[in-house]
Amino acid sequence: MAGMSPLFRRKPPQTPGAPQPAQSHEHSENHLVTLIRKPGCHLCDDAQLVVEKVCADLGVPWEGKDITQDRQLHDEYWEQIPVVLVDGRQHTFWRVNEERLRKALTEQSK
């Protein structure tokens, strides 16, 4: 259904108190992706594009953290940025693979 028009994927208006329909990305809705980056970093810009796309497709929230504004992040990750965390655990660094990130967010936690 990837080629389906966005018009047909819209959710109908919800009646207050009505049960919510099951999400098609049920395994991804409880995740949080964190992108640790620094200003002026072209790899960070590339990583952010991938994170934004995958998270938007799956309905997963993401946050960006600036390594220059957080001493602990700087000390831990300064040689690896950009770094992507999934649920607080390091997923990848330097380059973000879209399919690998998508898989990490859609596989059921074991």
Side-chain angles (χ1 to χ4, degrees):
M1 286 187 244
M4 185 180 285
S5 165
L7 178 65
F8 295 108
R9 290 186 298 207
R10 289 189 186 151
K11 294 179 184 174
Q14 295 298 314
T15 305
Q20 298 295 314
Q23 298 291 318
S24 61
H25 42 75
E26 62 194 43
H27 301 301
S28 63
E29 59 193 25
N30 295 319
H31 291 294
L32 173 65
V33 175
T34 303
L35 173 62
I36 301 169
R37 59 167 300 151
K38 74 174 184 179
C41 166
H42 71 90
L43 288 177
C44 299
D45 294 340
D46 293 346
Q48 184 168 327
L49 291 174
V50 174
V51 168
E52 286 176 343
K53 179 182 187 315
V54 172
C55 288
D57 288 351
L58 299 176
V60 173
W62 74 277
E63 62 183 358
K65 293 194 176 182
D66 182 343
I67 202 169
T68 66
Q69 301 298 313
D70 186 315
R71 186 70 181 163
Q72 182 179 351
L73 292 176
H74 180 274
D75 291 347
E76 190 167 351
Y77 297 116
W78 73 276
E79 290 183 327
Q80 297 178 336
I81 61 160
V83 175
V84 175
L85 309 178
V86 174
D87 303 328
R89 290 181 303 215
Q90 188 168 341
H91 169 73
T92 194
F93 63 98
W94 293 340
R95 299 216 181 262
V96 183
N97 178 284
E98 180 179 339
E99 293 309 313
R100 184 170 176 262
L101 179 58
R102 188 177 301 278
K103 184 176 179 182
L105 295 171
T106 56
E107 282 188 336
Q108 190 169 13
S109 299
K110 299 197 170 41

